[in-house]
Amino acid sequence: MRLFKRKQPDEKIKRMPDDAVCAPVTGEMIPASNIADPVFSTECMGQTIGFEPSNDTVVVPVNGTVTALFPSGHAFGVTTKEGNGFLVHIGIDTVNLQGKGFHPYIKQGDFVYAGQTAVKVDADFIRKQGYSMTTMLVVTEKAVDDYKVDYIDCGPVVSGQRINR
């Protein structure tokens, strides 16, 4: 008999279907055009949606494999089993902080679930350094040319909430 059962990191989250795209943060979902960075507002990296976070936890937006985790912890990429790639970029120009204020809970190569904690941020510290906490979700790779996320209307969201129809 085992007295202590090791908890898996995904036991506490509700499993989302593989086609679900979830809010990476709790806060306000905003259109790309409202993001104060032309790289993201013009969607030159791919289909983009923004978020104004109201807490310090960033979660994984889709079920898949962590295919990129920037050493600074400010951004990470997840690829679904279908081959669609999603990038979560926390804050604007926050790469300049060189990892200060970012605490990743995932690593490259991990299989992760939508809603699983990915990064904890010290939002107060980041804002005090003069950086925006606007967080972007970008479709960076598409398994098929016409793949597009049909997002719900912008407005308040909770991390892990499904945001696609």
Side-chain angles (χ1 to χ4, degrees), residues 9 60 62-69 77-79 104-113 116-118:
V60 176
V62 293
N63 298 336
T65 301
V66 178
T67 48
L69 176 61
V78 178
T79 301
Y105 281 59
I106 57 174
K107 62 185 185 306
Q108 195 160 327
D110 284 353
F111 186 85
V112 292
Y113 294 97
Q116 179 179 333
T117 299

Side-chain angles (χ1 to χ4, degrees), residues 127-147:
R127 286 185 183 106
K128 283 178 184 170
Q129 302 307 306
Y131 294 95
S132 165
M133 281 300 302
T134 302
T135 298
M136 287 66 64
L137 178 60
V138 182
V139 178
T140 53
E141 288 94 30
K142 299 188 288 185
V144 293
D145 288 339
D146 64 347
Y147 178 78

Side-chain angles (χ1 to χ4, degrees), residues 59-127:
V59 304
V60 176
V62 293
N63 298 336
T65 301
V66 178
T67 48
L69 176 61
F70 287 73
S72 59
H74 80 287
F76 63 92
V78 178
T79 301
T80 66
K81 68 181 180 184
E82 292 80 20
N84 297 311
F86 291 82
L87 172 74
V88 175
H89 192 285
I90 307 162
I92 296 176
D93 294 330
T94 50
V95 66
N96 297 330
L97 292 171
Q98 300 177 0
K100 293 180 186 124
F102 297 93
H103 308 284
Y105 281 59
I106 57 174
K107 62 185 185 306
Q108 195 160 327
D110 284 353
F111 186 85
V112 292
Y113 294 97
Q116 179 179 333
T117 299
V119 181
K120 293 274 189 169
V121 297
D122 185 341
D124 290 336
F125 168 80
I126 293 167
R127 286 185 183 106

